[in-house]
């Protein structure tokens, strides 16, 4: 973007330079914290990351010139905030840039799963034309009157999903730390156990932190309807993937749609690849063309605000 190029070539009064450095080894996890820190020189005031682990060890090795870490995204659980604060480094993110895109992907999963789209296509491609005569026991139903449960659904994305689901005539349940009514017609606030038991679709929308990691595992899948679907577009480690694979194989839930995994890309050995009732996408929720442009603009705005002495979207 124009804003991104301008911000990434900006200099403040102390001649601290912001450079754009792309090293695929970083994303691949090949470089050590010291190797990553070595990419940053004493001329750099700002480091921009995208879902890369920025550990205390990495932060400690950064030159003292670094005063800002910008996470090019909404989630920032990949950055050690305490370590950054102890070194007087501000950390900021780009909130709400992907709200519509991720919410649209959630509903794409809902729509696809409700009509067994992937399964019917796969059968047809294998030469099975029976679906032309009838779908048999394959799930194929309307959304009106069905219930979607949003785990942590008070945020921007969850609220947008609620609006979209209501447009399809669905009832919406949300669970969050607050039990206060959300004020939206057709949206009910319940506890997690109630949400799991009543929902036809369970969609995860909470951040990854100490309280939510492993939040949805075998006991939670056991509470869901056998006809229900699990959707995760938040963070992979909120789910117990092994327990999910077991639930899918044993048909204790009907299926799942996952855009995020614990390890990305999902290892070829993952049992999820052996499940025929799961939709897997490679973390594409935020990657629509308009969303990426909005993200770059947000990064540029964060950098510009920092150089002007009024940092924004600070999370530590």
């Amino acid at each position: 973007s124009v804003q991104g190029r301008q911000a990434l070539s900006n200099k403040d009064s102390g001649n601290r330079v912001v450079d754009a450095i792309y090293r695929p080894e970083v994303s691949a996890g090949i470089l050590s914290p010291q190797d990553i820190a070595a990419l940053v020189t004493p001329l750099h005031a700002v480091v921009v990351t995208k879902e890369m682990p920025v550990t205390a060890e990495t932060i400690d090795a950064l030159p003292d010139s670094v005063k800002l870490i910008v996470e090019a995204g909404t989630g920032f659980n990949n950055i050690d905030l305490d370590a950054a604060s102890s070194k007087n480094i501000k950390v900021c993110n780009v909130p709400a840039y992907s709200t519509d895109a991720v919410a649209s992907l959630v509903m794409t999963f809902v729509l696809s799963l409700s009509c067994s789209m992937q399964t019917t296509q796969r059968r047809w491609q294998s030469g099975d034309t029976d679906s032309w005569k009838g779908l048999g026991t394959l799930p194929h139903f309307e959304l009106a009157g069905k219930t979607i449960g949003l785990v942590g659904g008070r945020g921007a994305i969850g609220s947008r999903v609620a609006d979209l689901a209501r447009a399809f005539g669905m009832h919406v349940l949300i669970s969050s730390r607050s039990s206060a009514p959300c004020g939206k017609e057709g949206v009910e606030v319940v506890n997690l156990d109630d949400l799991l038991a009543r929902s036809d679709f369970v969609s995860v929308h909470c951040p990854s932190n100490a309280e939510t990691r492993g939040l949805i595992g075998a006991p939670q899948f056991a509470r869901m309807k056998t006809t229900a679907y699990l959707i995760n577009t938040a963070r992979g480690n909120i789910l117990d993937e092994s327990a999910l694979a077991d639930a899918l194989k044993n048909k204790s839930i009907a299926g799942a749609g996952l855009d995020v995994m614990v390890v990305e890309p999902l290892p070829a050995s993952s049992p999820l690849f052996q499940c025929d009732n799961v939709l897997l996408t490679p973390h594409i929720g935020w990657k629509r063309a308009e969303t990426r442009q909005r993200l770059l603009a947000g990064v540029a705005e964060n950098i510009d605000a920092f150089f002007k002495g009024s940092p924004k979207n600070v999370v530590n």
Side-chain angles (χ1 to χ4, degrees):
S1 70
V2 174
Q3 301 101 315
R5 286 194 297 272
Q6 289 174 343
L8 292 174
S9 62
N10 195 4
K11 296 183 180 181
D12 71 355
S13 58
N15 291 322
R16 291 176 299 194
V17 182
V18 181
D19 291 330
I21 302 172
Y22 171 69
R23 292 290 295 272
E25 309 98 302
V26 175
S27 299
I30 297 172
L31 299 184
S32 69
Q34 294 82 2
D35 292 331
I36 294 171
L39 297 173
V40 185
T41 76
L43 289 176
H44 293 124
V46 177
V47 172
V48 179
T49 72
K50 178 61 180 171
E51 298 171 1
M52 180 191 79
V54 183
T55 65
E57 190 176 5
T58 300
I59 292 171
D60 186 60
L62 292 173
D64 292 337
S65 60
V66 174
K67 297 301 179 185
L68 177 70
I69 297 174
V70 182
E71 173 61 26
T74 301
F76 47 86
N77 58 294
N78 52 307
I79 301 173
D80 191 316
L81 299 183
D82 291 336
S85 297
S86 68
K87 200 165 180 177
N88 198 30
I89 298 174
K90 294 188 182 300
V91 178
C92 64
N93 69 338
V94 184
Y97 76 97
S98 62
T99 299
D100 284 341
V102 177
S104 295
L105 181 60
V106 172
M107 294 309 297
T108 299
F109 280 137
V110 170
L111 290 163
S112 297
L113 292 167
S114 70
C115 66
S116 300
M117 183 176 290
Q118 183 189 45
T119 303
T120 54
Q121 178 178 343
R122 186 168 54 241
R123 289 184 178 182
W124 188 12
Q125 288 174 326
S126 69
D128 183 349
T129 59
D130 285 347
S131 294
W132 288 92
K133 305 171 187 176
L135 294 174
T137 60
L138 284 180
H140 196 69
F141 53 86
E142 295 180 353
L143 296 181
K146 298 298 188 292
T147 297
I148 184 168
L150 309 178
V151 181
R154 288 187 185 271
I157 296 174
S159 294
R160 184 64 179 134
V161 171
D163 292 340
L164 294 174
R166 289 290 298 143
F168 279 95
M170 301 182 76
H171 181 60
V172 179
L173 306 177
I174 65 171
S175 68
S176 68
R177 288 178 293 182
S178 171
S179 59
C182 74
K184 286 190 174 186
E185 182 181 355
V187 179
E188 182 181 354
V189 179
V190 297
N191 62 43
L192 180 59
D193 285 349
D194 195 16
L195 181 150
L196 294 170
R198 293 171 55 188
S199 297
D200 300 297
F201 296 88
V202 174
S203 186
V204 179
H205 295 283
C206 48
S208 172
N209 55 42
E211 295 180 3
T212 62
R213 282 191 285 273
L215 178 67
I216 310 295
Q220 287 70 41
F221 296 129
R223 292 188 181 98
M224 292 173 61
K225 300 177 182 179
T226 57
T227 55
Y229 299 86
L230 187 285
I231 296 169
N232 189 14
T233 57
R235 286 291 183 265
N237 61 11
I238 297 172
L239 304 183
D240 180 335
E241 282 184 1
S242 177
L244 174 59
D246 288 341
L248 292 170
K249 289 179 180 178
N250 297 331
K251 311 297 184 186
S252 56
I253 64 172
L258 306 177
D259 188 48
V260 290
M261 297 86 192
V262 176
V263 176
E264 297 180 355
L266 187 66
S269 59
S270 171
L272 290 172
F273 283 123
Q274 308 306 315
C275 301
D276 61 4
N277 50 349
V278 60
L279 296 175
L280 299 171
T281 53
H283 205 154
I284 61 173
W286 66 275
K287 292 180 180 176
R288 296 175 191 257
E290 299 86 350
T291 308
R292 285 180 279 130
Q293 184 64 40
R294 197 178 301 122
L295 173 61
L296 289 174
V299 169
E301 289 170 6
N302 281 344
I303 295 172
D304 186 54
F306 169 75
F307 281 130
K308 289 179 177 177
S310 301
K312 59 187 294 189
N313 300 317
V314 176
V315 297
N316 69 330

